[in-house]
Amino acid sequence: MNYIRYIKLNEINPDDFIPLLNHQKTREHLIEHELFDREAVIQWVKSKDEVDSTNGCKVRAILVNQQLAGWCGIQFEAGKYEMAIVIDEKYWGLGKAVFLDVMGWAKELGHDELLIHFLHTRPEYKFLRKISKSVYQSELFGSQFTTYQLAVN
């Protein structure tokens, strides 16, 4: 059984993020960006720490059995709170459990709704469509997304 734990990003060695953030299979589903080196990871973690300190936001590294499996959180973008989940390919089966944990954080933080954006390369998620208030196409940072508007219960 997998043991999931969430910790602040700055508690992880920056070098441990490089394979995750640069993994080609993961990058196929994210906005296009330059490959990360150590300095870029340090800056990225710093920017996510700023998000984490913003009211209503929470950003964490995902550890599975003490191994870095990804990162997730609630971020504030374009006037709305959104969920982000980035998981290494070998841990993709844990996505729904992480999703439910982040939804729990949203409830604790007092959110009524969250958005989750999936790059157009991702298939539609039937379970998300079922629980969404609405599903629509959107454009962010020059890329096309399917956006799910989720009620936080």
Side-chain angles (χ1 to χ4, degrees):
M1 180 165 173
N2 292 312
Y3 173 66
I4 301 173
R5 203 171 115 226
Y6 302 97
I7 64 172
K8 290 187 175 253
L9 299 183
N10 61 23
E11 295 178 37
I12 301 288
N13 180 331
D15 295 330
D16 293 346
F17 277 111
I18 294 172
L20 169 73
L21 298 173
N22 289 341
H23 189 270
Q24 185 56 40
K25 197 82 166 158
T26 304
R27 290 171 55 90
E28 288 172 10
H29 302 296
L30 301 174
I31 293 175
E32 195 170 319
H33 58 80
E34 295 294 319
L35 289 173
F36 282 85
D37 59 15
R38 188 173 212 282
E39 188 56 38
V41 170
I42 290 169
Q43 292 307 311
W44 176 79
V45 167
K46 190 175 187 178
S47 73
K48 293 301 179 189
D49 283 348
E50 288 175 20
V51 171
D52 184 58
S53 68
T54 303
N55 189 39
C57 297
K58 183 174 183 173
V59 180
R60 297 291 184 266
I62 304 165
L63 295 181
V64 175
N65 301 326
Q66 301 303 324
Q67 298 296 311
L68 179 64
W71 71 275
C72 63
I74 298 170
Q75 307 178 113
F76 192 70
E77 289 287 336
K80 303 269 187 187
Y81 288 98
E82 67 176 31
M83 176 187 300
I85 299 174
V86 176
I87 302 175
D88 184 88
E89 179 182 17
K90 68 182 179 181
Y91 297 104
W92 279 353
L94 298 176
K96 194 167 183 183
V98 173
F99 170 83
L100 293 173
D101 288 341
V102 175
M103 288 298 284
W105 299 346
K107 186 173 185 168
E108 290 170 12
L109 292 167
H111 296 298
D112 295 325
E113 72 174 36
L114 277 184
L115 301 179
I116 187 165
H117 307 286
F118 285 117
L119 196 61
H120 66 88
T121 57
R122 305 273 296 268
E124 184 177 288
Y125 288 82
K126 288 182 175 82
F127 93 94
L128 282 178
R129 179 172 279 286
K130 231 183 258 188
I131 65 171
S132 294
K133 296 197 303 194
S134 69
V135 180
Y136 54 92
Q137 298 303 306
S138 58
E139 184 177 319
L140 299 163
F141 309 108
S143 296
Q144 295 298 315
F145 289 84
T146 301
T147 298
Y148 299 84
Q149 183 182 9
L150 306 166
V152 176
N153 301 326

